[in-house]
Amino acid sequence: MNNPTDSTSHDEHCRVNRLCIEATSAASASISHEIMNILAIINESAGLLEDLSLMAAPDEGIPAERITTTAAAIMKQVSRANQIMKWFNKLAHCGDAPRARTDIAGTIQLVVALANRQAAMKKLSVSTGDLSTAEIESDLLCLVSLLYMVLRRLYETVGTEGEISIAAKPEGSDITVSFTAHHRNEQVNLNSFPNHREKTLAAHLKANFSHNGEALQLTLPPTLPQD
Amino acid sequence: MIDDNDKIKVLIADDEVEFASTLATRLNLRNFSTTVVNSGQQTLSAVAKEQPDIVLLDLKMPDLDGLEVLAMLREEHPELKVIIITGHGSFEMGREGMELGASDYIMKPVDLNLLIEKISDICLGSKKDS
């Protein structure tokens, strides 16, 4: 983040921090909700095994098929939680340094994973087609917060069962991330992007929003200039 | 009037399919009659069709938000009993649900004995009152 040198940059610093906290809090809340669901399934599965053992006749035990089916259900949820926690751990480490090198493809995949539950709730199809493997040096926490904010609002904008496509490609030394959205084969107008909050984070990242046809584009510099 | 031998009809509305189906299995083992749905629209249809005694309603489902479903249920079936099931870490959503007319709420992971106690209290109590 910036080292505030005057009241204006201090105010901006506070606004950016606040927005980053809001974005990461929203992601954390969503993840904790999903983990609660996973724990609830494991809890019911374990309870079912207990029920079956209490009901079993002393000399017969629980049918093996019931045990293997229930055990498989538990293992599936452990695997699901493990994947979610890996992404959550990546998010948690985004704030380790004020600036860091990151590959844009990995960052987009992280953000898509963090917003996966919202996409599922709205039955959205989210594809990450052409993702550049180029690296940029940026304020990673702010970048993830901005991309997450844009994605969440895109999900609200596109409507149920919509399709969202995200791409990232180099343009000169910059990286341009493009978002397009379709609903029932019609392209969704994204002119409501960016809003004031998204502009604030983009300004901090020295990034620019633009529209290319119906696509929303975010152009990121290869290196965040020193203040 | 429901007595101890009558099965209480429970509609479980939760988009976590495995949670809903396993909870249903466990309630069935305890002599409840259950139906499972996984979306808000399915919940509204199933209430009309199955006429459950009580709905266990998750607040986060695809299509319709649980609180929206609750508001619609209250309007169309004012006598229907609803227990909110929430995966939120706070009581806030449950409290909001109760303000909209839910009888009670319970947090995930569910304490089955507590849930059964709540179901029995609400359903048997309401039947005795009627």
Side-chain angles (χ1 to χ4, degrees), chain A residues 108-109 112 119 124-131 151 155 162-168 178-180 182:
Chain A
I108 290 171
Q109 281 157 356
V112 170
L124 302 177
S125 160
V126 182
S127 62
T128 49
D130 289 331
L131 290 183
L151 214 54
Y155 290 0
E163 294 169 12
I164 289 167
S165 177
I166 307 164
S178 301
F179 304 87
T180 51
H182 289 82

Side-chain angles (χ1 to χ4, degrees), chain A residues 37 43-44 51 76 80, chain B residues 16 18 26 30 108 110:
Chain A
N37 277 330
N43 184 57
E44 291 314 313
D51 290 349
K76 182 180 161 190
R80 178 183 166 195
Chain B
E16 289 285 348
E18 289 183 38
R26 298 189 73 201
R30 288 159 175 82
K108 287 181 180 175
V110 170

Side-chain angles (χ1 to χ4, degrees), chain B residues 110-123:
Chain B
V110 170
D111 177 335
L112 190 67
N113 290 331
L114 179 62
L115 176 63
I116 289 172
E117 198 177 298
K118 286 175 186 281
I119 293 172
S120 300
D121 284 352
I122 292 166
C123 291

Side-chain angles (χ1 to χ4, degrees), chain A residues 30-47:
Chain A
S30 174
I31 287 167
S32 69
H33 188 260
E34 196 157 6
I35 293 293
M36 285 295 211
N37 277 330
I38 291 168
L39 289 175
I41 295 170
I42 292 172
N43 184 57
E44 291 314 313
S45 300

Side-chain angles (χ1 to χ4, degrees), chain A residues 3-186:
Chain A
N3 287 322
T5 53
D6 54 34
S7 63
T8 306
S9 65
H10 176 73
D11 288 349
E12 188 222 334
H13 178 77
C14 289
R15 271 198 302 275
V16 168
N17 276 351
R18 175 72 203 171
L19 290 171
C20 289
I21 289 168
E22 281 180 27
T24 51
S25 295
S28 303
S30 174
I31 287 167
S32 69
H33 188 260
E34 196 157 6
I35 293 293
M36 285 295 211
N37 277 330
I38 291 168
L39 289 175
I41 295 170
I42 292 172
N43 184 57
E44 291 314 313
S45 300
L48 180 58
L49 285 177
E50 187 182 30
D51 290 349
L52 293 172
S53 73
L54 291 172
M55 290 166 53
D59 53 345
E60 289 180 2
I62 309 170
E65 189 190 328
R66 294 300 293 267
I67 293 178
T68 52
T69 305
T70 309
I74 292 172
M75 284 189 280
K76 182 180 161 190
Q77 295 306 319
V78 171
S79 172
R80 178 183 166 195
N82 184 43
Q83 189 57 57
I84 291 168
M85 293 311 289
K86 280 180 182 170
W87 289 120
F88 192 36
N89 186 262
K90 279 182 187 283
L91 172 67
H93 283 292
C94 284
D96 284 355
R99 56 171 59 214
R101 289 203 68 76
T102 182
D103 71 296
I104 195 69
T107 305
I108 290 171
Q109 281 157 356
L110 166 64
V111 174
V112 170
L114 293 174
N116 186 46
R117 181 171 167 77
Q118 282 68 37
M121 294 290 286
K122 295 187 79 82
K123 298 180 180 172
L124 302 177
S125 160
V126 182
S127 62
T128 49
D130 289 331
L131 290 183
S132 165
T133 55
E135 289 193 347
I136 60 171
E137 186 180 310
S138 192
D139 179 338
L140 186 52
L141 182 63
C142 184
L143 176 60
V144 167
S145 298
L146 173 59
L147 292 172
Y148 184 77
M149 229 178 240
V150 169
L151 214 54
R152 287 284 300 260
R153 205 154 72 80
L154 263 176
Y155 290 0
E156 291 304 315
T157 304
V158 71
T160 304
E161 296 183 7
E163 294 169 12
I164 289 167
S165 177
I166 307 164
K169 61 178 182 179
E171 289 205 354
S173 60
D174 294 339
I175 299 282
T176 298
V177 182
S178 301
F179 304 87
T180 51
H182 289 82
H183 188 254
R184 293 179 183 148
N185 295 324
E186 295 284 324

Side-chain angles (χ1 to χ4, degrees), chain B residues 33-46:
Chain B
S33 167
T34 60
T35 303
V36 171
V37 291
N38 306 118
S39 74
Q41 287 293 353
Q42 286 176 10
T43 305
L44 297 174
S45 303

